[in-house]
């Protein structure tokens, strides 16, 4: 659920859905000649705007809190990932160097055997 709550597009979609339902209710009641002073197109628009505004506040606050309080943990995790990556690169380089040494040794042996055969 949290993955939806911190997505501004989800809040906008929620506002559109709520606005559509309220507009349908307004139309239904108008057809029946039932009128409420507080249920108007303007009040529906204001309510949907409130939902989007609340969503923006929530998303902004959530991002700020996560970036402020989780940053130290994230920095440590990112540092560990970078160190692991560097170690992996060093191991790959060492393996390539060993392979190159082995190939050079094989080439020297082949050259020596060719020299002896001639």
């Amino acid at each position: 659920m949290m993955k939806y709550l911190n997505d501004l597009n989800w809040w906008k979609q929620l506002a559109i859905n709520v606005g559509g339902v309220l507009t349908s209710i307004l139309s239904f009641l108008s057809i029946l000649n039932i009128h409420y002073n507080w249920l108007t197109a303007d009040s529906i628009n204001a309510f949907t705007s409130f939902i989007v505004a609340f969503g923006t506040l929530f998303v902004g606050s959530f991002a700020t809190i996560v970036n402020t309080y989780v940053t130290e943990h994230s920095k440590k995790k990112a540092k560990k990932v970078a160190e692991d990556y560097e170690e992996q690169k060093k191991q790959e380089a060492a393996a390539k160097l060993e392979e190159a040494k082995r190939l050079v040794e094989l080439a020297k042996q082949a050259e020596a055997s060719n020299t002896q055969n001639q």
Side-chain angles (χ1 to χ4, degrees):
M1 182 68 175
M2 186 55 82
K3 73 177 183 178
Y4 297 113
L5 292 179
N6 62 8
D7 180 11
L8 188 56
N9 288 327
W10 183 85
W11 286 97
K12 289 177 182 177
Q13 190 64 43
L14 176 68
I16 290 169
N17 289 338
V18 169
V21 169
L22 290 176
T23 301
S24 297
I25 292 171
L26 176 63
S27 299
F28 174 76
L29 294 175
S30 294
I31 291 171
L32 296 177
N33 202 22
I34 300 172
H35 299 282
Y36 293 101
N37 291 334
W38 54 268
L39 186 61
T40 63
D42 290 336
S43 67
I44 292 170
N45 289 336
F47 188 66
T48 57
S49 295
F50 173 78
I51 292 173
V52 172
F54 182 79
T56 303
L57 175 67
F58 184 85
V59 170
S61 301
F62 182 78
T64 301
I65 289 168
V66 166
N67 288 333
T68 302
Y69 292 104
V70 183
T71 300
E72 287 304 315
H73 175 70
S74 297
K75 284 180 184 178
K76 289 177 185 175
K77 188 175 180 181
K79 186 175 181 180
K80 182 172 180 357
V81 168
E83 289 170 354
D84 291 346
Y85 179 75
E86 287 297 319
E87 183 63 32
Q88 180 184 359
K89 287 298 178 188
K90 287 178 184 177
Q91 290 174 356
E92 289 174 2
K96 286 181 181 179
L97 181 61
E98 289 301 317
E99 181 65 19
K101 287 179 181 178
R102 189 181 67 79
L103 290 174
V104 167
E105 191 60 38
L106 286 174
K108 285 181 182 178
Q109 290 174 0
E111 187 177 312
S113 69
N114 281 345
T115 308
Q116 290 175 357
N117 290 340
Q118 291 178 358

